[in-house]
Amino acid sequence: MTAATHSTLFPQVPDSADAVLEGLDPEQREVATALHGPVCVLAGAGTGKTRAITHRIAYGVRAGILHPSSVLAVTFTTRAAGEMRGRLRQLGAAGVQARTFHSAALRQLQYFWPKAIGGSMPRLVDRKIQLVADAAAACRIRLDRGELRDVTAEIEWSKVTQTVPADYAPAAAKAGRESPRDPAEIAQLYAAYEDVKRERSVIDFEDVLLLTVAVLQDRHDIAEQIRAQYQHFVVDEYQDVSPLQQRLLELWLGERDSLCVVGDASQTIYSFTGATPDHLLDFRTRHPGATVVKLVRDYRSTPQVVHLANGLLSQARGRAADHRLELVSQRAAGPEPVYAEYTDEPAEAEGAARRIRELVDSGVPASEIAVLFRTNAQSETYEQALADAAVPYQLRGAERFFDRPEVRKAGIALRGAARFGGNDSLLDDVVDLPSQVRAVLSGEGWTTQPPAGSGAVRERWESLAALVNLAQDFAAARPAATLADLVAELDERANAQHAPTVQGVTLASLHSAKGLEWDVVFLVGVAEGMMPITYAKTDEQIEEERRLLYVGVTRAREHLHVSWALSRSPGGRPNRRPSRFLDGLRPGSTATAGRTAAGGAGGIERGIPGSRESAPKRAQRVPARCRVCGRTLTDPGEMKLMRCDACPSDMNEGLYERLREWRADQARSSGQPAFCVFTDRTLMAIAESAPDDERELARIPGVGMRKLTRYGADVLAICAGQSLAESTDQD
């Protein structure tokens, strides 16, 4: 559930730009009206960040300052992007692109592939597991199911941090990662995985970003074409960007600063995937003239829930803790959080199910209740307990609503009724829209009363019931709406993946609960060894576990239940204790010694006047001229060579061939296409200029700082006529 659920489902479109700003608090209004220059929004949990940035885009569009097609809003999940598109549509800003990083990059790569690379683009695989298994078989390494998953995660981390197979071991050690196998084996598997992909002409999701970055770096004409299209960028959940995503964002931006980022360092919970809050925390350093707006008014949770959330972070350590936001609840007082201790995990699950049954019987919708746990393996116990208590539930992360077979069949039936309803005897005696929908869906298995028990039959009924409820809300908001109007609304929602509410208690891991909220939240298994998880060893890992619990707490609007078990199974030794994170917060416990982090108040920090002059300056662009005849160059290929194609070349053919051989070796070892190392034009430019030092090499177009750092020593050694072995010996 999201905040939008508690507002009108089908609000009227604001009639003017000023009307878009109505209902925003002072800080949200500042975000919405700060349309020029870099803007950084530090937004605590429940403070209305999505509301602020969607109203910002809509206000800019409605005021004529932003053209819808020139705006690219980027977030991290398809669901979040769909919700953003839905909100923008309701605000009268249809046409704005709201996508995930991967979705936006994939569209660009598909469009420019024939021009940049030629031929047809390789097939995109959506799952790596089988390819990793095949790579392991090629290496004669046996991996069980868990190891396959762990190795796949290491490959994904390597790619988003731009780490090639040969560099995996030192990079993993530097990052403090515990490799699931010997780092040398992981590197071997990673290289073999890239070989398997290349042999089968397929790419994975990380390749989409890597290849898009490579194209934008090497083809300035394509980069400029994209920059001409998108001139204003908004990035949500900015604390979760990886180094690769940050590089892509920089290439999209070019020399401009029309950028708004939104995030909260205290909700950084995906560092294991390569995400880092450093880009968010360093934003003011990179953009001294930025406007920084802090949102701390919490509209989601009661003061009691907010007090616990603030308390969790009060003992936090590290850089993210230094920038934490002190939330201030805007809601009326509610009940205190409930803490419960059980003898074992089955008893804990039965206790939660019993309390949930009572809540549902008292009138709390099952869809407004969630059970959140640390690992997916904990789910089964709660599924069984809820089924035994006859409580409907849904698993977060299961099949998307509009992809469910019963929903697709229902959509076909409704579309047919909208077209040919006059010939359908089911609709003879019904006049209003909800009755029409109930009549049509009764033929698909919907009944006025839900089926007994749980399982697939109950899940199908819940899906159809969600469509019936949506039709009722739609008709209440638009009394004159027809069945055809509802079908069009469903199509819009399917495209945006904006699913209606399904009646059932949500079971979800803490990671998958990010971005969601419920009236009642049960945080279960909050014991040492599970929270923090056993394998969290370093201070940084422990602090991320604390932030994960903070995310769980801030999902609750009103009722929060926190529980733990003293043993895993009935009759087991009661050797567990409540999580250290609850020390000093739950009744009867004492606080853990440690410093208290200073909380950040809300407000607005203006950019320093004239600070552009004090910011690190980017190199000024000057016309590129042919070094032979002096003519101004405009063709990207000629600009890379710094001469006209017609002018004579003084290229050292032997040097060029040695560079090509070296590039082929690098491509094989890194598992990348050769052009991702250096393009042919760049190699020609190097062979023509034969640079003597890093400064000369860096002047060659196509040799950026990243490539200079990675390949500079090798290239200079080759240019000096040395073998790479000699160069290494001299170093």
Side-chain angles (χ1 to χ4, degrees), residues 334-379:
E336 291 290 338
V338 175
Y339 300 88
E341 183 174 277
Y342 295 89
T343 55
D344 53 63
E345 288 182 4
E348 183 181 6
E350 291 167 9
R354 187 167 53 250
R355 179 61 185 136
I356 290 171
R357 179 75 264 175
E358 293 170 356
L359 289 167
V360 172
D361 290 343
S362 70
V364 178
S367 60
E368 288 295 350
I369 304 173
V371 178
L372 307 182
F373 31 75
R374 176 62 180 84
T375 68
N376 288 318
Q378 295 168 269
S379 172

Side-chain angles (χ1 to χ4, degrees), residues 594-654:
R595 68 168 180 80
T596 299
I604 302 157
E605 298 174 13
R606 305 288 182 185
I608 304 167
S611 58
R612 282 176 178 259
E613 284 69 30
S614 61
K617 294 187 181 296
R618 292 173 172 167
Q620 295 295 313
R621 292 185 176 180
V622 296
R625 299 186 183 280
C626 174
R627 53 190 168 83
V628 179
C629 69
R631 182 177 69 85
T632 300
L633 303 176
T634 57
D635 178 76
E638 292 183 339
M639 291 170 66
K640 184 163 288 189
L641 292 175
M642 293 305 293
R643 65 171 175 80
C644 307
D645 279 335
C647 286
S649 169
D650 53 357
M651 182 176 70
N652 183 325
E653 294 287 349

